[in-house]
Amino acid sequence: MKKIICRDDFWEMFPDCKIGIVVCKGIDNVYKENEAEYEALIREGEKRALTFLTEENFTDNKVIKVWRETYMKFKTKKGARCSIEALMKRISKENHLGTINPIVDIYNSVSLSHAMPCGGEDIDCMEGDLLLTKATGAEPFQVIGSDKNEPPYPEELVYKDEAGAVCRCWTWREAERTMLTEKTKNAMLCCELVDTDRYEELMEVLEDLKREVEERLGGQCEIKILDREHKEAEL
């Protein structure tokens, strides 16, 4: 059984972090002549996201600022930002998200609705356990849509498995190798929380992900929480 494991070097940097996991098994991740429903789901998420942007200066908004400050605490590629900032920046410029595939559309809509970062990986495409840890710099990494190897920097915070990096700069860029596709049957969805006073909202995110996946894609989903006292979970 594969696991997700957050190593001690991560907890030393972020002792109060909570990482929510939704393990989805036996899903059917294919549009069934209903792609418009997922587009509508994303548009609703975009509307809700705008309610979190109350400051004139984009980076002064709390949901952006907290992650900017977080990314100053570890080695990153220049210009790397938390995934939620990229989404919020895009919709603040009235640049709509497109549909990709059902489970990605679901987590994008939920991410926007709560202004929290969400991501996902195909469990069956992982090689061994998934680790959240500092990189050595030798991990192979091929970002989605590229055939170029762009390994992380030494000390960069990454998700990685036995075959290489899975997501660089914590939540920034995901690998082609483990991305969610229409062929995905077993998926791990993830939401990271560094703003600890939003714990109840994290639970809402996880419940929303679980409900939407089970109702729309079938299968069974299980919610798990990782923290400093619970550093690993089965996938």
Side-chain angles (χ1 to χ4, degrees), residues 30-59:
V30 177
Y31 294 126
K32 297 176 176 63
E33 300 182 354
N34 62 345
E35 187 172 349
E37 293 180 14
Y38 290 92
E39 183 176 3
L41 196 66
I42 293 170
R43 296 295 167 267
E44 180 62 28
E46 291 175 342
K47 290 179 183 177
R48 293 179 180 177
L50 291 173
T51 65
F52 290 90
L53 300 179
T54 57
E55 303 296 330
E56 184 175 352
N57 184 2
F58 179 76
T59 56

Side-chain angles (χ1 to χ4, degrees), residues 157-185:
L157 195 58
V158 298
Y159 286 103
K160 70 177 186 178
D161 62 8
E162 293 175 5
V166 168
C167 193
R168 283 195 58 184
C169 297
W170 196 0
T171 72
W172 175 55
R173 291 283 190 271
E174 295 187 75
E176 178 94 10
R177 176 171 57 86
T178 57
M179 69 179 183
L180 299 168
T181 71
E182 291 186 350
K183 295 180 180 179
T184 298
K185 299 300 180 185

Side-chain angles (χ1 to χ4, degrees), residues 145-160:
S146 172
D147 57 4
K148 181 181 178 182
N149 181 34
E150 301 179 78
Y153 297 133
E155 301 292 300
E156 181 182 318
L157 195 58
V158 298
Y159 286 103
K160 70 177 186 178

Side-chain angles (χ1 to χ4, degrees), residues 15-30:
D16 298 322
C17 181
K18 307 288 185 183
I19 298 180
I21 305 294
V22 183
V23 180
C24 310
K25 297 291 184 73
I27 64 173
D28 182 8
N29 193 38
V30 177

Side-chain angles (χ1 to χ4, degrees), residues 1-181:
M1 181 70 72
K2 296 175 183 176
K3 295 180 179 181
I4 178 172
I5 301 170
C6 301
R7 286 187 166 167
D8 288 341
D9 57 2
F10 168 76
W11 297 115
E12 287 168 5
M13 287 188 289
F14 302 108
D16 298 322
C17 181
K18 307 288 185 183
I19 298 180
I21 305 294
V22 183
V23 180
C24 310
K25 297 291 184 73
I27 64 173
D28 182 8
N29 193 38
V30 177
Y31 294 126
K32 297 176 176 63
E33 300 182 354
N34 62 345
E35 187 172 349
E37 293 180 14
Y38 290 92
E39 183 176 3
L41 196 66
I42 293 170
R43 296 295 167 267
E44 180 62 28
E46 291 175 342
K47 290 179 183 177
R48 293 179 180 177
L50 291 173
T51 65
F52 290 90
L53 300 179
T54 57
E55 303 296 330
E56 184 175 352
N57 184 2
F58 179 76
T59 56
D60 287 340
N61 288 285
K62 185 179 180 182
V63 295
I64 306 301
K65 188 175 182 180
V66 68
W67 279 104
R68 283 286 184 101
E69 293 171 350
T70 296
Y71 267 50
M72 295 175 66
K73 297 179 181 179
F74 63 93
K75 180 74 173 180
T76 65
K77 183 177 175 64
K78 185 178 180 180
R81 300 284 186 254
C82 178
S83 62
I84 190 57
E85 177 172 341
L87 289 182
M88 300 289 279
K89 188 74 171 180
R90 182 168 175 169
I91 62 108
S92 73
K93 296 182 177 180
E94 300 182 350
N95 185 6
H96 293 304
L97 269 68
T99 55
I100 297 175
N101 61 60
I103 197 168
V104 174
D105 298 343
I106 287 169
Y107 82 61
N108 277 337
S109 68
V110 173
S111 179
L112 285 166
S113 293
H114 296 273
M116 288 187 181
C118 293
E121 309 296 340
D122 189 316
I123 295 172
D124 297 325
C125 294
M126 295 177 189
E127 298 291 336
D129 295 333
L130 183 67
L131 308 177
L132 177 56
T133 185
K134 289 181 179 180
T136 66
E139 297 88 351
F141 179 81
Q142 181 181 327
V143 72
I144 292 175
S146 172
D147 57 4
K148 181 181 178 182
N149 181 34
E150 301 179 78
Y153 297 133
E155 301 292 300
E156 181 182 318
L157 195 58
V158 298
Y159 286 103
K160 70 177 186 178
D161 62 8
E162 293 175 5
V166 168
C167 193
R168 283 195 58 184
C169 297
W170 196 0
T171 72
W172 175 55
R173 291 283 190 271
E174 295 187 75
E176 178 94 10
R177 176 171 57 86
T178 57
M179 69 179 183
L180 299 168
T181 71

